[in-house]
Amino acid sequence: MGNRTPLAAVLTANSISTAGTSLTLIGVPWFVLETTGSAGRAGLVAFCATLPIVVAALIGGPVIDRFGRRRTAVVSDAVCAAAIAAIPLLHFAGVLHFWMLCALMALNGFAHTPGNTARYVLVPDLAEHAGTTLPRAASLFDAVSRGARMVGAALAGLLIALVGAETVLLLDAATFGLSALLVGAGVRGVRAAEPRKAEAPVSLRTYGTELREGYAHVLGNRLLLAVVVMVMFMNGTDQGWNAVLLPVHAEAELGGAPAIGLLTALFGAGGLAGALLYGAVGHRFSRRAVFTVCVILCGAPRFLVAAVTGTTLPLAVTMLLGGVAGGVLNPILTTVVYERVPDRLRSRVSGALTAGCEFAMPVGGLAAGLLVEGAGATGALLAMGGVFFLATLSPLVFPSWRTLDDAPGAGTVREGPGARPVREGPGVRPVPDEPGAKAKPAPDGPGAAAKPVPDGPGAGAKPVPDGPGAGAKPVPDTPGAKAGAQ
């Protein structure tokens, strides 16, 4: 029996942080609509909150390894707590200007991403430390996150109605602080959580080399690249839904913030059920078949239903069923990513994945606000929903998705400091990293093509980072990626 305390600490911290993030997901857009009355300004805040997420993900992977995953998570949560708390405190003091709100949300997004990535990449090592299987730990990580998101969303809608958006943001800041304490105290003694002392001396050259390794791994694996491109469009439109479209629709048609909380909670409840269902019986079915069906059903229908109806019940049913379908996606992608990313590159590749998957999120929130003001809420819902639907057709169109059911380790090499990913397919084999070394064609003949070396213990699969912040998961866990999500 292993030591389960570190894994339990990270799971608990992540669930508390995720519940708090649900408060921000609903509280910030509502606060902007209440104080400015402008959908365009709500979109601008979403843009300011998510652009730094992408920037941090683009450059942050090597920093996490050098600074240490535990330390990164703690400092990240502490900065986010201060940034979120400052919004209502400045508002109560009567000195909060719109540019300050944008700046604080930008700081929250920039600081949040490294911490979210650090917690995410620790899961395989913590699973091994706890003596449990990686798929079980990954499913548990996703399930508790969805459960926390469901509870947080339900509370957010009620609390906004009872005590106001400002108090809800103070509660969110407290969740960041509690998350920092749990990770700081509970993940001591885990080698993978500490700084890597064997890394080369810090310099722009070594930093650039390490950064390129992460992006080369993603670009060298066609399936990971296909995931990034599809989820980039999904997250962008989801951000528009979360930051602008749902709040505007709820304010005009559904009775306000409590409806947002109810709908988001139902989506979370469906996601929890879907994740548990897949964990129980998903291994019996083809990953690709299940993923293809569920990704089409998980998001686009809610845009259409919101556009053509003005009541809560049809949208509530759609959100619940969409959540069930969406809950299946992350366990599949989690496993695939963990299988294809070696431990040595985990932080760097996770940063590259987050940057790619969340690249369109700043534009999504801004575009939704402009569309509402230019074409009305219905036109904006139909336009954004159409983009989401086209993105989810990717598994039916592109051949790289056929490898979703391939054995672990396909297309990657794990061992050795010079090992690097190579494109899948016969006739190509990896070679050590030496000046000028390149992948060389394998000689013809039976068995000549090099076979990938499977990852060792602890190199398995892990979830993809969520929400405008959520360290960015490829598949959004809520009806809308959120700005500055924890």
Side-chain angles (χ1 to χ4, degrees):
M1 182 70 69
N3 181 6
R4 297 184 178 181
T5 299
L7 179 60
V10 168
L11 291 175
T12 304
N14 198 62
S15 64
I16 292 172
S17 177
T18 301
T21 295
S22 295
L23 303 180
T24 297
L25 170 68
I26 297 173
V28 169
W30 198 258
F31 176 78
V32 175
L33 288 175
E34 278 188 332
T35 55
T36 70
S38 169
R41 286 203 165 193
L44 180 59
V45 171
F47 175 84
C48 293
T50 50
L51 181 61
I53 294 175
V54 178
V55 174
L58 281 169
I59 65 176
V63 175
I64 295 171
D65 287 336
R66 293 180 178 278
F67 194 59
R69 293 165 181 173
R70 182 176 68 89
R71 192 184 300 170
T72 298
V74 171
V75 172
S76 170
D77 281 341
V79 173
C80 289
I84 292 295
I87 295 173
L89 293 177
L90 290 172
H91 177 70
F92 290 143
V95 295
L96 180 67
H97 299 287
F98 183 70
W99 70 264
M100 295 180 183
L101 174 62
C102 292
L104 288 169
M105 289 304 295
L107 174 61
N108 178 63
F110 187 82
H112 169 74
T113 302
N116 189 65
T117 301
R119 286 192 299 270
Y120 158 68
V121 298
L122 274 173
V123 172
D125 295 286
L126 298 184
E128 184 178 358
H129 204 70
T132 189
T133 64
L134 187 55
R136 180 175 298 174
S139 295
L140 185 59
F141 186 90
D142 190 61
V144 297
S145 296
R146 290 180 182 277
R149 188 169 293 109
M150 173 185 67
V151 173
L155 287 175
L158 293 175
L159 290 173
I160 288 174
L162 292 175
V163 299
E166 299 90 343
T167 303
V168 168
L169 294 179
L170 286 175
L171 291 174
D172 184 25
T175 65
F176 273 118
L178 185 54
S179 174
L181 290 174
L182 284 168
V183 174
V187 191
R188 292 182 180 276
V190 178
R191 184 177 179 182
E194 301 306 320
R196 294 192 174 180
K197 302 184 184 300
E199 298 286 350
V202 177
S203 70
L204 288 177
R205 181 176 180 180
T206 57
Y207 181 85
T209 299
E210 293 168 6
L211 198 62
R212 285 193 298 271
E213 283 183 315
Y215 288 93
H217 191 94
V218 175
L219 294 173
N221 188 297
R222 294 174 184 173
L223 178 58
L224 292 182
L225 188 59
V227 169
V228 168
V229 173
M230 181 187 73
V231 178
M232 177 180 69
F233 285 100
M234 292 173 64
N235 276 348
T237 49
D238 249 345
Q239 175 67 3
W241 167 269
N242 173 73
V244 179
L245 298 179
L246 180 58
V248 168
H249 182 64
E251 184 182 41
E253 306 285 352
L254 307 180
I260 303 177
L262 171 64
L263 293 171
T264 307
L266 286 173
F267 191 89
L272 175 60
L276 294 175
L277 180 64
Y278 185 80
V281 300
H283 61 280
R284 303 178 184 176
F285 305 97
S286 160
R287 287 180 188 171
R288 186 188 177 209
V290 172
F291 185 90
T292 300
V293 172
C294 289
V295 77
I296 292 174
L297 297 177
C298 75
R302 69 174 180 262
F303 289 86
L304 177 61
V305 172
V308 300
T309 66
T311 56
T312 302
L313 182 59
L315 186 55
V317 173
T318 304
M319 295 282 281
L320 179 63
L321 296 178
V324 174
V328 172
L329 303 181
N330 267 353
I332 294 176
L333 291 181
T334 289
T335 303
V336 168
V337 171
Y338 283 152
E339 287 172 351
R340 287 162 170 77
V341 180
D343 176 71
R344 187 179 67 86
L345 299 178
R346 196 179 295 159
S347 297
R348 302 164 200 176
V349 172
S350 295
L353 289 172
T354 299
C357 289
E358 298 189 352
F359 190 78
M361 284 173 57
V363 178
L366 186 61
L370 295 176
L371 281 171
V372 169
E373 295 194 341
T378 299
L381 284 164
L382 291 174
M384 300 292 277
V387 173
F388 195 108
F389 176 70
L390 291 175
T392 59
L393 295 179
S394 173
L396 293 173
V397 176
F398 296 103
S400 55
W401 287 95
R402 297 171 189 166
T403 65
L404 198 62
D405 289 307
D406 283 0
T412 63
V413 174
R414 171 180 171 76
E415 300 297 338
R420 59 171 178 249
V422 295
R423 290 194 177 275
E424 298 155 349
V428 178
R429 62 167 176 256
V431 295
D433 265 341
E434 296 173 355
K438 298 180 180 179
K440 301 177 181 179
D444 294 337
K451 299 180 180 179
V453 179
D455 289 351
K462 58 181 173 266
V464 185
D466 158 79
K473 309 174 183 170
V475 177
D477 285 340
T478 62
K482 42 190 161 184
Q486 297 177 51

